[in-house]
Amino acid sequence: MGMNQFNQIQQDFPFSGISSDIAVEIRTEFLDEESSPMDDIFVWSYQVRIHNNTNSRIQVLDRAWWIVEENGVVYDVTGEGLAGEQPLISPRASYEYHSYAVLQTSSGMLNGYYKVVDAEGNRIEVPIPAASFDLPNSKPVLN
């Protein structure tokens, strides 16, 4: 991968991490039209890309997310799969999905982990990189 491609990925997915040769990349976006700041409703979309850099097929079994508002309120988002699926991801392939979060403050962050299993039955906990929900033109804050 050339430096220009890497820089483009970093711009497209500014929050990323890799563990056990499985990369997780996240992009967040404030949804102004769906939000109502006067009512403390801040709606965010997020896109997640999971890239399997291993030589084995993997399956995402579970997720555990923590979304933390700037006032310290924590939302625990755990459960099976991703957006209703337990995707199989082939070697050197990616899986992407979109979701959203509704916060009562103008900023926050998320992080957590995925539980995956490879073709040999090995269970792997893959960290989800910390990503911020920050209003456009504000300085990102990762607490």
Short mmCIF file of all heavy atoms in Angstrom, two decimals, residues 61-131:
data_model
loop_
_atom_site.label_atom_id
_atom_site.label_comp_id
_atom_site.label_asym_id
_atom_site.label_seq_id
_atom_site.Cartn_x
_atom_site.Cartn_y
_atom_site.Cartn_z
N LEU A 61 -18.67 -12.98 16.29
CA LEU A 61 -19.72 -13.59 17.10
C LEU A 61 -20.47 -12.58 17.95
O LEU A 61 -21.69 -12.59 18.01
CB LEU A 61 -19.12 -14.67 18.02
CG LEU A 61 -18.40 -15.83 17.34
CD1 LEU A 61 -17.80 -16.74 18.39
CD2 LEU A 61 -19.34 -16.59 16.42
N ASP A 62 -19.73 -11.72 18.66
CA ASP A 62 -20.31 -10.79 19.63
C ASP A 62 -19.59 -9.45 19.56
O ASP A 62 -18.49 -9.35 19.04
CB ASP A 62 -20.15 -11.33 21.06
CG ASP A 62 -20.82 -12.66 21.27
OD1 ASP A 62 -22.04 -12.74 21.07
OD2 ASP A 62 -20.12 -13.62 21.64
N ARG A 63 -20.24 -8.47 20.16
CA ARG A 63 -19.63 -7.15 20.30
C ARG A 63 -19.89 -6.63 21.70
O ARG A 63 -20.90 -6.98 22.33
CB ARG A 63 -20.20 -6.17 19.28
CG ARG A 63 -21.61 -5.76 19.60
CD ARG A 63 -22.28 -4.97 18.51
NE ARG A 63 -23.63 -4.59 18.84
CZ ARG A 63 -24.66 -5.40 18.99
NH1 ARG A 63 -24.51 -6.70 18.85
NH2 ARG A 63 -25.86 -4.94 19.29
N ALA A 64 -18.99 -5.79 22.15
CA ALA A 64 -19.17 -5.07 23.41
C ALA A 64 -18.63 -3.65 23.18
O ALA A 64 -17.44 -3.47 22.95
CB ALA A 64 -18.42 -5.75 24.55
N TRP A 65 -19.54 -2.70 23.17
CA TRP A 65 -19.20 -1.30 22.98
C TRP A 65 -19.52 -0.54 24.25
O TRP A 65 -20.48 -0.87 24.95
CB TRP A 65 -20.09 -0.67 21.90
CG TRP A 65 -19.92 -1.11 20.51
CD1 TRP A 65 -20.35 -2.27 19.96
CD2 TRP A 65 -19.32 -0.37 19.46
NE1 TRP A 65 -20.05 -2.29 18.63
CE2 TRP A 65 -19.42 -1.13 18.30
CE3 TRP A 65 -18.70 0.88 19.39
CZ2 TRP A 65 -18.93 -0.70 17.07
CZ3 TRP A 65 -18.22 1.30 18.17
CH2 TRP A 65 -18.33 0.53 17.03
N TRP A 66 -18.76 0.50 24.48
CA TRP A 66 -19.09 1.46 25.52
C TRP A 66 -19.10 2.83 24.86
O TRP A 66 -18.11 3.26 24.29
CB TRP A 66 -18.11 1.41 26.68
CG TRP A 66 -18.16 0.08 27.33
CD1 TRP A 66 -19.08 -0.36 28.25
CD2 TRP A 66 -17.31 -1.03 27.08
NE1 TRP A 66 -18.84 -1.66 28.58
CE2 TRP A 66 -17.75 -2.11 27.88
CE3 TRP A 66 -16.21 -1.25 26.26
CZ2 TRP A 66 -17.14 -3.35 27.89
CZ3 TRP A 66 -15.59 -2.48 26.25
CH2 TRP A 66 -16.07 -3.51 27.07
N ILE A 67 -20.24 3.48 24.93
CA ILE A 67 -20.36 4.85 24.44
C ILE A 67 -20.44 5.75 25.67
O ILE A 67 -21.28 5.54 26.54
CB ILE A 67 -21.60 5.02 23.54
CG1 ILE A 67 -21.45 4.12 22.30
CG2 ILE A 67 -21.79 6.48 23.15
CD1 ILE A 67 -22.65 4.09 21.39
N VAL A 68 -19.53 6.70 25.73
CA VAL A 68 -19.42 7.58 26.89
C VAL A 68 -19.69 9.02 26.45
O VAL A 68 -19.02 9.54 25.57
CB VAL A 68 -18.02 7.50 27.53
CG1 VAL A 68 -17.94 8.36 28.78
CG2 VAL A 68 -17.64 6.06 27.82
N GLU A 69 -20.70 9.63 27.07
CA GLU A 69 -20.99 11.03 26.78
C GLU A 69 -20.00 11.91 27.53
O GLU A 69 -19.38 11.48 28.51
CB GLU A 69 -22.43 11.37 27.20
CG GLU A 69 -23.46 10.63 26.37
CD GLU A 69 -24.88 11.04 26.70
OE1 GLU A 69 -25.13 11.57 27.81
OE2 GLU A 69 -25.75 10.82 25.84
N GLU A 70 -19.91 13.17 27.10
CA GLU A 70 -18.94 14.06 27.74
C GLU A 70 -19.26 14.31 29.21
O GLU A 70 -18.38 14.68 29.98
CB GLU A 70 -18.83 15.38 26.98
CG GLU A 70 -20.03 16.29 27.07
CD GLU A 70 -19.83 17.58 26.30
OE1 GLU A 70 -18.75 18.19 26.39
OE2 GLU A 70 -20.77 17.98 25.60
N ASN A 71 -20.50 14.05 29.65
CA ASN A 71 -20.86 14.23 31.05
C ASN A 71 -20.58 12.97 31.89
O ASN A 71 -20.91 12.92 33.06
CB ASN A 71 -22.33 14.64 31.18
CG ASN A 71 -23.28 13.60 30.61
OD1 ASN A 71 -22.87 12.50 30.25
ND2 ASN A 71 -24.55 13.96 30.52
N GLY A 72 -20.01 11.93 31.24
CA GLY A 72 -19.65 10.72 31.96
C GLY A 72 -20.68 9.60 31.92
O GLY A 72 -20.42 8.50 32.40
N VAL A 73 -21.85 9.86 31.35
CA VAL A 73 -22.86 8.81 31.23
C VAL A 73 -22.36 7.75 30.25
O VAL A 73 -21.87 8.07 29.16
CB VAL A 73 -24.21 9.38 30.76
CG1 VAL A 73 -25.21 8.27 30.46
CG2 VAL A 73 -24.77 10.34 31.80
N VAL A 74 -22.45 6.48 30.66
CA VAL A 74 -21.95 5.37 29.85
C VAL A 74 -23.10 4.50 29.38
O VAL A 74 -23.97 4.12 30.16
CB VAL A 74 -20.95 4.50 30.66
CG1 VAL A 74 -20.46 3.32 29.83
CG2 VAL A 74 -19.79 5.33 31.17
N TYR A 75 -23.10 4.20 28.09
CA TYR A 75 -24.08 3.27 27.50
C TYR A 75 -23.33 1.99 27.14
O TYR A 75 -22.32 2.02 26.45
CB TYR A 75 -24.72 3.86 26.25
CG TYR A 75 -25.47 5.14 26.52
CD1 TYR A 75 -24.87 6.37 26.30
CD2 TYR A 75 -26.77 5.10 27.01
CE1 TYR A 75 -25.55 7.55 26.56
CE2 TYR A 75 -27.46 6.28 27.28
CZ TYR A 75 -26.84 7.50 27.04
OH TYR A 75 -27.52 8.67 27.31
N ASP A 76 -23.83 0.87 27.61
CA ASP A 76 -23.24 -0.44 27.35
C ASP A 76 -24.01 -1.09 26.20
O ASP A 76 -25.20 -1.34 26.31
CB ASP A 76 -23.36 -1.29 28.62
CG ASP A 76 -22.65 -2.62 28.53
OD1 ASP A 76 -21.99 -2.89 27.52
OD2 ASP A 76 -22.78 -3.39 29.50
N VAL A 77 -23.33 -1.31 25.08
CA VAL A 77 -23.96 -1.89 23.89
C VAL A 77 -23.32 -3.25 23.64
O VAL A 77 -22.24 -3.33 23.05
CB VAL A 77 -23.79 -0.97 22.67
CG1 VAL A 77 -24.54 -1.53 21.45
CG2 VAL A 77 -24.24 0.45 22.98
N THR A 78 -23.95 -4.30 24.11
CA THR A 78 -23.39 -5.64 23.94
C THR A 78 -24.43 -6.53 23.28
O THR A 78 -25.63 -6.28 23.34
CB THR A 78 -22.99 -6.25 25.30
OG1 THR A 78 -24.14 -6.30 26.15
CG2 THR A 78 -21.90 -5.45 25.97
N GLY A 79 -23.93 -7.58 22.65
CA GLY A 79 -24.86 -8.52 22.04
C GLY A 79 -24.21 -9.34 20.95
O GLY A 79 -23.02 -9.20 20.65
N GLU A 80 -25.03 -10.21 20.35
CA GLU A 80 -24.54 -11.07 19.29
C GLU A 80 -24.36 -10.28 18.01
O GLU A 80 -25.18 -9.44 17.66
CB GLU A 80 -25.54 -12.20 19.03
CG GLU A 80 -25.52 -13.28 20.06
CD GLU A 80 -26.38 -14.47 19.65
OE1 GLU A 80 -26.96 -14.47 18.55
OE2 GLU A 80 -26.45 -15.41 20.45
N GLY A 81 -23.28 -10.58 17.30
CA GLY A 81 -23.07 -10.09 15.95
C GLY A 81 -23.03 -8.59 15.79
O GLY A 81 -22.83 -7.84 16.74
N LEU A 82 -23.24 -8.20 14.53
CA LEU A 82 -23.19 -6.80 14.13
C LEU A 82 -24.42 -6.49 13.30
O LEU A 82 -24.65 -7.15 12.28
CB LEU A 82 -21.95 -6.53 13.26
CG LEU A 82 -20.62 -7.04 13.79
CD1 LEU A 82 -19.55 -6.90 12.73
CD2 LEU A 82 -20.24 -6.30 15.04
N ALA A 83 -25.19 -5.53 13.72
CA ALA A 83 -26.37 -5.12 12.97
C ALA A 83 -27.21 -6.33 12.56
O ALA A 83 -27.65 -6.45 11.42
CB ALA A 83 -25.96 -4.30 11.75
N GLY A 84 -27.39 -7.27 13.49
CA GLY A 84 -28.23 -8.43 13.23
C GLY A 84 -27.56 -9.58 12.49
O GLY A 84 -28.22 -10.56 12.16
N GLU A 85 -26.27 -9.48 12.22
CA GLU A 85 -25.56 -10.53 11.50
C GLU A 85 -24.34 -10.99 12.30
O GLU A 85 -23.83 -10.26 13.13
CB GLU A 85 -25.05 -10.03 10.15
CG GLU A 85 -26.13 -9.60 9.19
CD GLU A 85 -25.54 -9.16 7.86
OE1 GLU A 85 -24.51 -9.73 7.44
OE2 GLU A 85 -26.10 -8.24 7.26
N GLN A 86 -23.91 -12.22 12.02
CA GLN A 86 -22.63 -12.72 12.51
C GLN A 86 -21.79 -13.00 11.27
O GLN A 86 -21.68 -14.14 10.82
CB GLN A 86 -22.81 -13.97 13.36
CG GLN A 86 -23.44 -13.69 14.71
CD GLN A 86 -23.54 -14.93 15.57
OE1 GLN A 86 -23.93 -15.99 15.12
NE2 GLN A 86 -23.19 -14.78 16.84
N PRO A 87 -21.22 -11.93 10.69
CA PRO A 87 -20.59 -12.07 9.37
C PRO A 87 -19.36 -12.97 9.35
O PRO A 87 -18.58 -13.00 10.29
CB PRO A 87 -20.21 -10.63 9.02
CG PRO A 87 -20.03 -9.96 10.35
CD PRO A 87 -21.06 -10.60 11.24
N LEU A 88 -19.24 -13.70 8.23
CA LEU A 88 -18.03 -14.44 7.92
C LEU A 88 -17.18 -13.55 7.05
O LEU A 88 -17.68 -12.96 6.07
CB LEU A 88 -18.37 -15.73 7.15
CG LEU A 88 -19.12 -16.80 7.91
CD1 LEU A 88 -19.60 -17.89 6.96
CD2 LEU A 88 -18.22 -17.40 8.98
N ILE A 89 -15.90 -13.41 7.40
CA ILE A 89 -15.00 -12.55 6.64
C ILE A 89 -13.84 -13.41 6.14
O ILE A 89 -13.07 -13.96 6.93
CB ILE A 89 -14.47 -11.37 7.49
CG1 ILE A 89 -15.64 -10.63 8.17
CG2 ILE A 89 -13.65 -10.42 6.64
CD1 ILE A 89 -15.21 -9.59 9.18
N SER A 90 -13.73 -13.53 4.83
CA SER A 90 -12.69 -14.34 4.20
C SER A 90 -11.32 -13.72 4.44
O SER A 90 -11.21 -12.52 4.74
CB SER A 90 -12.93 -14.44 2.70
OG SER A 90 -14.15 -15.08 2.44
N PRO A 91 -10.26 -14.53 4.28
CA PRO A 91 -8.90 -13.98 4.39
C PRO A 91 -8.71 -12.81 3.42
O PRO A 91 -9.17 -12.86 2.27
CB PRO A 91 -8.00 -15.15 4.01
CG PRO A 91 -8.82 -16.37 4.29
CD PRO A 91 -10.24 -15.96 3.99
N ARG A 92 -8.08 -11.76 3.89
CA ARG A 92 -7.76 -10.56 3.11
C ARG A 92 -8.99 -9.81 2.62
O ARG A 92 -8.92 -9.03 1.69
CB ARG A 92 -6.85 -10.91 1.92
CG ARG A 92 -5.68 -11.78 2.24
CD ARG A 92 -4.59 -10.99 2.93
NE ARG A 92 -3.46 -11.89 3.24
CZ ARG A 92 -2.86 -11.92 4.40
NH1 ARG A 92 -3.25 -11.15 5.37
NH2 ARG A 92 -1.85 -12.73 4.62
N ALA A 93 -10.13 -10.06 3.23
CA ALA A 93 -11.38 -9.38 2.85
C ALA A 93 -11.85 -8.48 3.98
O ALA A 93 -11.36 -8.56 5.11
CB ALA A 93 -12.45 -10.41 2.49
N SER A 94 -12.84 -7.63 3.67
CA SER A 94 -13.37 -6.69 4.65
C SER A 94 -14.88 -6.84 4.77
O SER A 94 -15.54 -7.33 3.85
CB SER A 94 -13.06 -5.25 4.23
OG SER A 94 -11.68 -5.02 4.22
N TYR A 95 -15.38 -6.37 5.90
CA TYR A 95 -16.82 -6.29 6.14
C TYR A 95 -17.09 -4.90 6.68
O TYR A 95 -16.37 -4.42 7.56
CB TYR A 95 -17.25 -7.36 7.15
CG TYR A 95 -18.71 -7.27 7.53
CD1 TYR A 95 -19.68 -7.85 6.73
CD2 TYR A 95 -19.11 -6.60 8.67
CE1 TYR A 95 -21.03 -7.77 7.06
CE2 TYR A 95 -20.46 -6.51 9.01
CZ TYR A 95 -21.41 -7.10 8.21
OH TYR A 95 -22.73 -7.00 8.54
N GLU A 96 -18.12 -4.23 6.15
CA GLU A 96 -18.48 -2.90 6.61
C GLU A 96 -19.94 -2.87 7.03
O GLU A 96 -20.77 -3.57 6.46
CB GLU A 96 -18.28 -1.86 5.50
CG GLU A 96 -16.84 -1.61 5.17
CD GLU A 96 -16.66 -0.46 4.18
OE1 GLU A 96 -17.53 0.45 4.13
OE2 GLU A 96 -15.64 -0.46 3.49
N TYR A 97 -20.22 -2.05 8.03
CA TYR A 97 -21.60 -1.81 8.40
C TYR A 97 -21.74 -0.40 8.96
O TYR A 97 -20.76 0.23 9.35
CB TYR A 97 -22.12 -2.86 9.39
CG TYR A 97 -21.56 -2.77 10.79
CD1 TYR A 97 -22.27 -2.16 11.81
CD2 TYR A 97 -20.31 -3.32 11.10
CE1 TYR A 97 -21.77 -2.08 13.11
CE2 TYR A 97 -19.81 -3.25 12.38
CZ TYR A 97 -20.53 -2.64 13.38
OH TYR A 97 -20.02 -2.57 14.65
N HIS A 98 -22.97 0.08 8.94
CA HIS A 98 -23.31 1.41 9.45
C HIS A 98 -24.29 1.26 10.61
O HIS A 98 -25.12 0.36 10.60
CB HIS A 98 -23.99 2.26 8.38
CG HIS A 98 -23.13 2.56 7.21
ND1 HIS A 98 -22.92 1.66 6.19
CD2 HIS A 98 -22.42 3.66 6.89
CE1 HIS A 98 -22.14 2.20 5.30
NE2 HIS A 98 -21.81 3.41 5.69
N SER A 99 -24.19 2.18 11.55
CA SER A 99 -25.17 2.25 12.62
C SER A 99 -25.22 3.69 13.11
O SER A 99 -24.64 4.58 12.48
CB SER A 99 -24.81 1.29 13.77
OG SER A 99 -25.91 1.13 14.63
N TYR A 100 -25.89 3.91 14.20
CA TYR A 100 -25.99 5.27 14.72
C TYR A 100 -26.06 5.24 16.25
O TYR A 100 -26.32 4.21 16.86
CB TYR A 100 -27.19 6.01 14.14
CG TYR A 100 -28.52 5.48 14.63
CD1 TYR A 100 -29.15 6.09 15.70
CD2 TYR A 100 -29.11 4.38 14.04
CE1 TYR A 100 -30.36 5.60 16.19
CE2 TYR A 100 -30.32 3.89 14.51
CZ TYR A 100 -30.94 4.51 15.58
OH TYR A 100 -32.13 4.02 16.05
N ALA A 101 -25.82 6.40 16.83
CA ALA A 101 -25.92 6.57 18.28
C ALA A 101 -26.58 7.92 18.55
O ALA A 101 -26.35 8.88 17.82
CB ALA A 101 -24.53 6.54 18.92
N VAL A 102 -27.40 7.95 19.58
CA VAL A 102 -28.04 9.19 19.99
C VAL A 102 -27.49 9.56 21.36
O VAL A 102 -27.61 8.79 22.31
CB VAL A 102 -29.58 9.04 20.05
CG1 VAL A 102 -30.22 10.35 20.51
CG2 VAL A 102 -30.13 8.59 18.71
N LEU A 103 -26.86 10.73 21.44
CA LEU A 103 -26.28 11.22 22.69
C LEU A 103 -27.09 12.40 23.21
O LEU A 103 -27.79 13.06 22.43
CB LEU A 103 -24.83 11.66 22.47
CG LEU A 103 -23.75 10.57 22.46
CD1 LEU A 103 -23.92 9.61 21.32
CD2 LEU A 103 -22.37 11.19 22.41
N GLN A 104 -26.97 12.64 24.49
CA GLN A 104 -27.63 13.80 25.10
C GLN A 104 -26.65 14.95 25.30
O GLN A 104 -27.01 15.99 25.85
CB GLN A 104 -28.27 13.40 26.42
CG GLN A 104 -29.40 12.42 26.24
CD GLN A 104 -30.03 12.00 27.57
OE1 GLN A 104 -29.60 12.41 28.64
NE2 GLN A 104 -31.05 11.17 27.48
N THR A 105 -25.40 14.74 24.88
CA THR A 105 -24.38 15.79 24.94
C THR A 105 -23.78 15.96 23.55
O THR A 105 -23.91 15.09 22.69
CB THR A 105 -23.26 15.45 25.95
OG1 THR A 105 -22.62 14.24 25.55
CG2 THR A 105 -23.81 15.29 27.35
N SER A 106 -23.08 17.07 23.34
CA SER A 106 -22.56 17.39 22.00
C SER A 106 -21.32 16.60 21.62
O SER A 106 -20.89 16.64 20.47
CB SER A 106 -22.27 18.88 21.90
OG SER A 106 -21.27 19.25 22.82
N SER A 107 -20.74 15.88 22.57
CA SER A 107 -19.58 15.05 22.23
C SER A 107 -19.55 13.81 23.12
O SER A 107 -20.22 13.73 24.15
CB SER A 107 -18.27 15.84 22.36
OG SER A 107 -17.99 16.13 23.70
N GLY A 108 -18.76 12.87 22.68
CA GLY A 108 -18.60 11.62 23.41
C GLY A 108 -17.57 10.76 22.71
O GLY A 108 -16.88 11.21 21.80
N MET A 109 -17.50 9.52 23.15
CA MET A 109 -16.55 8.60 22.52
C MET A 109 -17.10 7.18 22.62
O MET A 109 -18.02 6.90 23.38
CB MET A 109 -15.18 8.68 23.17
CG MET A 109 -15.14 8.29 24.64
SD MET A 109 -13.47 8.05 25.27
CE MET A 109 -13.01 6.55 24.46
N LEU A 110 -16.51 6.30 21.83
CA LEU A 110 -16.86 4.89 21.91
C LEU A 110 -15.59 4.07 21.84
O LEU A 110 -14.57 4.50 21.31
CB LEU A 110 -17.83 4.49 20.79
CG LEU A 110 -17.35 4.56 19.35
CD1 LEU A 110 -16.59 3.32 18.93
CD2 LEU A 110 -18.54 4.74 18.43
N ASN A 111 -15.66 2.88 22.40
CA ASN A 111 -14.61 1.88 22.26
C ASN A 111 -15.19 0.55 22.75
O ASN A 111 -16.34 0.48 23.14
CB ASN A 111 -13.32 2.25 23.00
CG ASN A 111 -13.46 2.24 24.49
OD1 ASN A 111 -14.55 2.21 25.04
ND2 ASN A 111 -12.35 2.26 25.17
N GLY A 112 -14.39 -0.49 22.69
CA GLY A 112 -14.86 -1.81 23.11
C GLY A 112 -14.09 -2.91 22.43
O GLY A 112 -12.90 -2.77 22.16
N TYR A 113 -14.79 -4.01 22.11
CA TYR A 113 -14.12 -5.12 21.43
C TYR A 113 -15.15 -6.00 20.72
O TYR A 113 -16.34 -5.96 21.00
CB TYR A 113 -13.31 -5.97 22.42
CG TYR A 113 -14.13 -6.61 23.52
CD1 TYR A 113 -14.72 -7.85 23.33
CD2 TYR A 113 -14.32 -5.96 24.73
CE1 TYR A 113 -15.49 -8.43 24.33
CE2 TYR A 113 -15.08 -6.53 25.74
CZ TYR A 113 -15.66 -7.77 25.53
OH TYR A 113 -16.43 -8.34 26.51
N TYR A 114 -14.63 -6.76 19.75
CA TYR A 114 -15.40 -7.80 19.08
C TYR A 114 -14.85 -9.14 19.51
O TYR A 114 -13.64 -9.27 19.72
CB TYR A 114 -15.27 -7.71 17.55
CG TYR A 114 -15.83 -6.46 16.95
CD1 TYR A 114 -15.03 -5.56 16.28
CD2 TYR A 114 -17.19 -6.18 17.03
CE1 TYR A 114 -15.55 -4.42 15.71
CE2 TYR A 114 -17.72 -5.03 16.47
CZ TYR A 114 -16.89 -4.16 15.82
OH TYR A 114 -17.41 -3.03 15.25
N LYS A 115 -15.72 -10.14 19.61
CA LYS A 115 -15.27 -11.52 19.81
C LYS A 115 -15.45 -12.22 18.47
O LYS A 115 -16.56 -12.24 17.91
CB LYS A 115 -16.08 -12.22 20.89
CG LYS A 115 -15.76 -11.73 22.29
CD LYS A 115 -16.49 -12.52 23.33
CE LYS A 115 -16.16 -12.00 24.72
NZ LYS A 115 -16.93 -12.71 25.76
N VAL A 116 -14.34 -12.76 17.96
CA VAL A 116 -14.37 -13.47 16.69
C VAL A 116 -13.83 -14.87 16.89
O VAL A 116 -13.15 -15.16 17.88
CB VAL A 116 -13.57 -12.72 15.59
CG1 VAL A 116 -14.06 -11.29 15.42
CG2 VAL A 116 -12.08 -12.72 15.87
N VAL A 117 -14.14 -15.74 15.93
CA VAL A 117 -13.61 -17.09 15.93
C VAL A 117 -13.04 -17.35 14.54
O VAL A 117 -13.62 -16.93 13.53
CB VAL A 117 -14.68 -18.14 16.33
CG1 VAL A 117 -15.83 -18.17 15.34
CG2 VAL A 117 -14.08 -19.51 16.53
N ASP A 118 -11.88 -18.01 14.49
CA ASP A 118 -11.30 -18.33 13.18
C ASP A 118 -11.73 -19.73 12.74
O ASP A 118 -12.44 -20.44 13.47
CB ASP A 118 -9.78 -18.15 13.18
CG ASP A 118 -9.03 -19.11 14.08
OD1 ASP A 118 -9.59 -20.15 14.49
OD2 ASP A 118 -7.85 -18.84 14.37
N ALA A 119 -11.30 -20.13 11.56
CA ALA A 119 -11.72 -21.41 10.97
C ALA A 119 -11.27 -22.60 11.81
O ALA A 119 -11.87 -23.68 11.74
CB ALA A 119 -11.20 -21.53 9.55
N GLU A 120 -10.23 -22.43 12.63
CA GLU A 120 -9.73 -23.51 13.48
C GLU A 120 -10.43 -23.55 14.83
O GLU A 120 -10.11 -24.38 15.68
CB GLU A 120 -8.21 -23.38 13.68
CG GLU A 120 -7.39 -23.63 12.42
CD GLU A 120 -7.42 -22.44 11.46
OE1 GLU A 120 -7.41 -21.28 11.92
OE2 GLU A 120 -7.47 -22.68 10.24
N GLY A 121 -11.35 -22.61 15.07
CA GLY A 121 -12.08 -22.58 16.33
C GLY A 121 -11.43 -21.73 17.40
O GLY A 121 -11.93 -21.69 18.53
N ASN A 122 -10.34 -21.03 17.08
CA ASN A 122 -9.68 -20.16 18.05
C ASN A 122 -10.51 -18.89 18.25
O ASN A 122 -10.88 -18.23 17.28
CB ASN A 122 -8.28 -19.76 17.56
CG ASN A 122 -7.39 -20.97 17.38
OD1 ASN A 122 -7.26 -21.80 18.27
ND2 ASN A 122 -6.78 -21.08 16.21
N ARG A 123 -10.80 -18.57 19.50
CA ARG A 123 -11.55 -17.36 19.82
C ARG A 123 -10.56 -16.22 20.05
O ARG A 123 -9.57 -16.38 20.75
CB ARG A 123 -12.44 -17.57 21.03
CG ARG A 123 -13.53 -18.58 20.73
CD ARG A 123 -14.51 -18.73 21.89
NE ARG A 123 -15.56 -19.66 21.52
CZ ARG A 123 -16.72 -19.30 20.98
NH1 ARG A 123 -16.96 -18.03 20.75
NH2 ARG A 123 -17.63 -20.21 20.67
N ILE A 124 -10.90 -15.07 19.46
CA ILE A 124 -10.01 -13.91 19.49
C ILE A 124 -10.83 -12.70 19.92
O ILE A 124 -11.93 -12.48 19.42
CB ILE A 124 -9.39 -13.65 18.10
CG1 ILE A 124 -8.68 -14.89 17.57
CG2 ILE A 124 -8.44 -12.45 18.14
CD1 ILE A 124 -8.41 -14.85 16.08
N GLU A 125 -10.29 -11.91 20.85
CA GLU A 125 -10.92 -10.66 21.25
C GLU A 125 -10.19 -9.53 20.53
O GLU A 125 -9.00 -9.33 20.72
CB GLU A 125 -10.82 -10.49 22.77
CG GLU A 125 -11.72 -9.42 23.30
CD GLU A 125 -11.79 -9.43 24.82
OE1 GLU A 125 -12.51 -10.29 25.36
OE2 GLU A 125 -11.11 -8.57 25.43
N VAL A 126 -10.91 -8.83 19.68
CA VAL A 126 -10.32 -7.77 18.85
C VAL A 126 -10.77 -6.41 19.38
O VAL A 126 -11.97 -6.11 19.36
CB VAL A 126 -10.75 -7.93 17.37
CG1 VAL A 126 -10.15 -6.82 16.52
CG2 VAL A 126 -10.35 -9.30 16.84
N PRO A 127 -9.83 -5.59 19.85
CA PRO A 127 -10.21 -4.28 20.38
C PRO A 127 -10.82 -3.37 19.31
O PRO A 127 -10.40 -3.39 18.15
CB PRO A 127 -8.88 -3.69 20.86
CG PRO A 127 -7.94 -4.84 20.97
CD PRO A 127 -8.40 -5.85 19.96
N ILE A 128 -11.81 -2.61 19.71
CA ILE A 128 -12.38 -1.57 18.87
C ILE A 128 -11.65 -0.28 19.25
O ILE A 128 -11.64 0.09 20.43
CB ILE A 128 -13.89 -1.43 19.11
CG1 ILE A 128 -14.60 -2.73 18.72
CG2 ILE A 128 -14.46 -0.24 18.35
CD1 ILE A 128 -16.04 -2.82 19.20
N PRO A 129 -11.04 0.41 18.29
CA PRO A 129 -10.29 1.62 18.65
C PRO A 129 -11.21 2.70 19.18
O PRO A 129 -12.38 2.79 18.78
CB PRO A 129 -9.65 2.04 17.32
CG PRO A 129 -10.54 1.47 16.27
CD PRO A 129 -11.06 0.18 16.85
N ALA A 130 -10.69 3.50 20.09
CA ALA A 130 -11.46 4.64 20.60
C ALA A 130 -11.75 5.59 19.45
O ALA A 130 -10.87 5.90 18.64
CB ALA A 130 -10.69 5.34 21.70
N ALA A 131 -12.99 6.01 19.34
CA ALA A 131 -13.41 6.96 18.31
C ALA A 131 -14.24 8.04 19.00
O ALA A 131 -14.95 7.77 19.96
CB ALA A 131 -14.24 6.26 17.24
#
